[in-house]
Amino acid sequence: MKLLNNELITIFSTMLDIRNFEKSCIEGSKTGEIHGELHTGIGQEAIGAVIKQFCRKEDALVSTHRNHVHAIGKNVSMRELMAEIYEKETGICRGRGGHMHPFDQSNNFSATGIVGSSIPIALGYAYGFWYENNDNISIAVTGDGGANSGSFHECLNIASAWNLPLLIIIENNGYGISVKAEDVNSPIEFYKRSSAYGILGKKADGADPEFLFSTFQEVNEYLRKGKGPAILEVTCSRFQGHYEGDHDLYRSKKELEDNFINKDPIKNLKHKIIERNILNEDDLIHLEKESKLKIENILSEVRKDKSPKSEDFKNFLFN
């Protein structure tokens, strides 16, 4: 499926924002402004950019420890998300959730750091949408590791039995932390597990945003028509270590170089836009500079915000 020019430019611009956003988070991790293990999605930007094209405000999306990509895709305010990650009172959780557990009720977005636990939460949303008899969908994002959890199979079983609008996106970046997916999985193509539950299973290349768009469109229409749950496996590459500070010695230099050269969704879409004479190199460089400046301005503002006071740590607890 060949996308319209404006669709390609929109996806490209969103990916730029996501990458620059993640780079700003890495900066905060290095300076100590952000605490704990920070997980970024550099190299996986196409997933968030395509989600943004199809996800409604009313739809639910439950993400993982690597969640900024999906939050931006779900239209969570980048200003409030950045403030949350930098542990500021202006964040979507008043600085209490941090980068691992952002929650935006207004956009039905949440994340959990526990591997595989996004799926049962998303299942609950899917059941609610089914009960209310609307065409909203619920998306659970997980990784190849999460696809091996018991909850993955338990939730698919009930979602299939009750025909619930649950989409499980498996971000297959080839590694469960430092373990190669191919060493601990059979079959290696996770989307084929859909056949055990009689549901739709699709696979797309996350380094090809246009192909990912068309695949997501098919899956989106399937769910909204009430045909039941689906699995979408997206192969992608994690350019950074599992977390910032990870020495990343389990991947060869050749593999890392191949990621940057051949599996960068931003670079790949940039080439396609130029080849089709949609925009030229200078136009795209201008978009890149605009995005970088926008995110830099957001970070500059966030750094001026107040952090929560230690004596207020019990505020906003859920009882």
Side-chain angles (χ1 to χ4, degrees):
M1 176 182 177
K2 198 171 182 178
L3 300 189
L4 299 174
N5 293 354
N6 65 310
E7 290 173 328
L8 289 176
I9 295 169
T10 298
I11 291 171
F12 181 76
S13 297
T14 303
M15 289 196 296
L16 288 177
D17 285 348
I18 293 172
R19 179 159 297 183
N20 286 317
F21 186 96
E22 294 288 52
K23 287 181 177 179
S24 290
C25 293
I26 292 173
E27 184 178 331
S29 177
K30 289 180 178 178
T31 59
E33 295 167 274
I34 298 173
H35 299 89
E37 288 190 0
L38 177 74
H39 310 84
T40 63
I42 294 180
Q44 303 179 194
E45 294 87 354
I47 298 168
V50 169
I51 284 173
K52 191 168 186 175
Q53 298 302 302
F54 294 99
C55 235
R56 303 172 183 168
K57 189 180 184 68
E58 297 79 17
D59 295 333
L61 194 155
V62 188
S63 183
T64 66
H65 51 280
R66 202 178 309 281
N67 56 65
H68 314 154
V69 170
H70 317 120
I72 294 172
K74 195 59 174 68
N75 279 311
V76 173
S77 161
M78 287 194 292
R79 172 68 169 81
E80 293 180 21
L81 179 64
M82 182 80 77
E84 185 60 36
I85 295 167
Y86 271 78
E87 305 159 25
K88 301 292 186 177
E89 282 278 4
T90 49
I92 50 178
C93 298
R94 306 291 294 271
R96 272 74 172 176
H99 56 84
M100 289 276 273
H101 300 99
F103 177 74
D104 183 359
Q105 187 174 6
S106 66
N107 280 295
N108 271 352
F109 174 83
S110 58
T112 170
I114 302 172
V115 173
S117 64
S118 58
I119 307 170
I121 299 171
L123 179 72
Y125 276 109
Y127 178 79
F129 296 150
W130 170 84
Y131 184 81
E132 293 168 353
N133 194 29
N134 57 47
D135 66 345
N136 297 337
I137 66 173
S138 179
I139 301 173
V141 182
T142 192
D144 47 279
N148 287 334
S149 66
S151 59
F152 175 86
H153 299 280
E154 291 165 0
C155 292
L156 273 179
N157 177 62
I158 202 67
S160 178
W162 293 353
N163 207 48
L164 302 182
L166 174 68
L167 171 60
I168 299 181
I169 296 178
I170 302 173
E171 291 182 323
N172 182 4
N173 59 29
Y175 286 87
I177 304 181
S178 59
V179 179
K180 281 190 175 182
E182 61 195 55
D183 292 340
V184 291
N185 289 282
S186 180
I188 189 61
E189 293 187 291
F190 295 93
Y191 78 100
K192 291 182 178 179
R193 296 180 181 182
S194 61
S195 61
Y197 301 97
I199 64 174
L200 180 68
K202 289 289 180 179
K203 184 177 181 179
D205 181 1
D208 184 349
E210 188 170 37
F211 177 58
L212 177 58
F213 181 100
S214 60
T215 307
F216 200 104
Q217 184 175 50
E218 180 184 350
V219 173
N220 177 65
E221 291 174 357
Y222 178 91
L223 267 79
R224 294 200 193 278
K225 288 178 180 177
K227 294 184 177 181
I231 295 173
L232 174 58
E233 178 183 355
V234 183
T235 56
C236 51
S237 298
R238 167 169 55 80
F239 286 11
Q240 302 292 110
H242 174 64
Y243 63 93
E244 292 310 307
D246 178 7
H247 294 299
D248 204 358
L249 300 177
Y250 43 87
R251 297 191 289 185
S252 68
K253 184 178 179 181
K254 181 180 179 182
E255 181 181 346
L256 293 173
E257 287 176 350
D258 181 62
N259 287 343
F260 289 114
I261 295 170
N262 299 311
K263 299 177 182 178
D264 184 343
I266 295 178
K267 184 186 294 183
N268 291 345
L269 188 55
K270 183 176 181 178
H271 290 328
K272 190 172 290 188
I273 290 171
I274 292 172
E275 286 172 1
R276 294 184 187 173
N277 294 317
I278 299 170
L279 293 175
N280 60 37
E281 181 83 30
D282 290 339
D283 294 328
L284 294 174
I285 290 173
H286 178 70
L287 289 178
E288 291 168 354
K289 288 180 178 178
E290 274 191 336
S291 172
K292 184 180 179 183
L293 181 60
K294 176 169 62 176
I295 302 302
E296 285 177 349
N297 288 338
I298 289 175
L299 178 56
S300 178
E301 290 178 7
V302 163
R303 280 177 156 155
K304 298 173 185 175
D305 295 342
K306 293 181 179 179
S307 299
K309 295 179 181 178
S310 58
E311 58 266 29
D312 294 335
F313 77 98
K314 288 186 177 181
N315 292 353
F316 314 111
L317 293 178
F318 179 79
N319 296 311

